[in-house]
Amino acid sequence: MRLLPLLILALVASVARAATPQLILDVARFRNQNLTVKGAEVEIYVTVPTQSLTYKQRAPKAFQAAAVVTLEILRADGKPAYQETITLKPPVLNDTTAAIKNPLSFQKRIALPDGSYTLRGRVRDQYHAGVEGTVEMPLVLQSTSKGAAMSDLVVLARPAAKSPGQNNFTRGGYLLTRAPGGLYARGAERLYFYAELYQVTQSQKLSLRYRLQSEEGAGAEAEAPLEHIDLGRVTSIAGEMPLGPLPTGSYTLQVDVLDARKQVVVTQTARVRRETETFAPAGAVAPK
């Protein structure tokens, strides 16, 4: 699990030099809106912690960093299915010694057919030549044609908020604020998530069970009714549970959809990191 380090940047010859730039990729797969195509809508949330960037002096008491991010999705044969390069610039600072700086983010939604892919992200520090970071992860898309199904879980930094508007950060009528890398640091008291339930075709009483479990056995559990089921269409699930006194460590969040007999209809998991010693930056903000 990738963490957001807290670095104090030193000023050297009007430039604050940072470490190797970091990149956090959070990926969630949702059902393709075009039901005639076997595949998925892939939501890729890209986060660049700005502590790891070089801040260059632009004017007296004005410092700014910049990161160039290249995002690629490669097919099994190595050919690109998607590629884009974007430059991210955090707000101008008048003091680069602040230990906590908010990360930057952007999000892409890409429709892809079923298959095996490689997701690759590269970040380059624009003001520190030759400094680059790379992250790769496998991406497998496999449609389900029968029975109830659930999207991937999206781990959130704050509750999913009802939103009538439509933008790149809304889904299912909710505004979603990601927790980059699934990190809940000091000061975070509750865990939040969003998911979508598909292909519920029969009217039945369903409920949700949330479990947060560490490899050492520490954990928490909660249950809640599943309301407003949209038969034959998409049902949005916005849930939360207390973190309480859970210690620092890596956890697995498991969300089960249960029938009236408390039998599991469908389940999904996500990785979460609990960090109780340090405060994390505020939620990532999109570049303007």
Side-chain angles (χ1 to χ4, degrees):
M1 185 65 64
R2 295 173 295 278
L3 301 180
L4 303 180
L6 303 180
L7 302 178
I8 298 180
L9 307 182
L11 297 182
V12 179
S14 79
V15 177
R17 287 294 174 88
T20 300
Q22 295 182 315
L23 186 68
I24 300 172
L25 298 179
D26 293 288
V27 182
R29 297 162 296 180
F30 296 90
R31 189 177 68 178
N32 196 326
Q33 296 184 18
N34 185 350
L35 299 182
T36 64
V37 178
K38 287 189 175 182
E41 185 177 73
V42 180
E43 195 168 274
I44 306 171
Y45 192 72
V46 181
T47 306
V48 177
T50 53
Q51 299 100 318
S52 61
L53 296 178
T54 301
Y55 278 78
K56 185 175 182 179
Q57 187 170 9
R58 314 299 299 177
K61 294 186 178 181
F63 300 85
Q64 190 171 35
V68 180
V69 177
T70 299
L71 193 61
E72 297 176 294
I73 298 178
L74 306 176
R75 299 185 177 93
D77 59 6
K79 295 181 180 179
Y82 162 82
Q83 184 180 57
E84 182 176 3
T85 298
I86 185 171
T87 299
L88 304 178
K89 291 186 177 182
V92 174
L93 299 179
N94 58 18
D95 179 12
T96 62
T97 63
I100 297 180
K101 300 179 178 68
N102 289 341
L104 286 172
S105 70
F106 71 95
Q107 181 172 285
K108 301 301 297 187
R109 289 175 178 164
I110 305 161
L112 292 170
D114 284 349
S116 296
Y117 302 86
T118 298
L119 173 61
R120 177 188 297 159
R122 294 196 302 271
V123 58
R124 177 173 57 84
D125 190 332
Q126 184 164 298
Y127 298 133
H128 194 173
V131 179
E132 183 178 290
T134 302
V135 176
E136 285 190 359
M137 63 175 63
L139 176 63
V140 179
L141 307 181
Q142 185 174 3
S143 303
T144 57
S145 57
K146 295 182 179 180
M150 191 189 302
S151 72
D152 287 337
L153 302 177
V154 180
V155 183
L156 304 175
R158 55 179 61 99
K162 282 287 189 179
S163 174
Q166 290 292 328
N167 60 52
N168 207 35
F169 297 94
T170 59
R171 188 166 198 101
Y174 289 93
L175 176 63
L176 307 180
T177 304
R178 271 55 170 187
L183 174 64
Y184 288 92
R186 185 177 178 181
E189 302 297 333
R190 302 185 72 84
L191 176 152
Y192 306 96
F193 67 88
Y194 173 86
E196 293 179 354
L197 182 62
Y198 312 116
Q199 299 168 191
V200 177
T201 57
Q202 296 181 355
S203 179
Q204 54 182 307
K205 183 179 180 181
L206 299 177
S207 61
L208 298 171
R209 179 173 61 203
Y210 320 144
R211 289 177 174 172
L212 195 61
Q213 193 79 25
S214 72
E215 295 178 355
E216 292 75 23
E221 183 174 319
E223 289 195 22
L226 180 56
E227 301 174 343
H228 309 298
I229 300 174
D230 198 346
L231 298 181
R233 303 184 69 180
V234 179
T235 297
S236 296
I237 300 173
E240 62 180 87
M241 65 184 301
L243 290 170
L246 291 179
T248 292
S250 295
Y251 293 82
T252 297
L253 170 65
Q254 179 174 321
V255 177
D256 301 324
V257 177
L258 308 176
D259 62 17
R261 297 174 298 169
K262 298 298 181 180
Q263 299 297 309
V264 177
V265 177
V266 64
T267 187
Q268 193 59 271
T269 62
R271 298 294 290 171
V272 172
R273 174 71 183 177
R274 176 67 163 156
E275 183 66 57
T276 59
E277 286 76 23
T278 56
F279 287 98
V285 294
K288 295 181 179 180

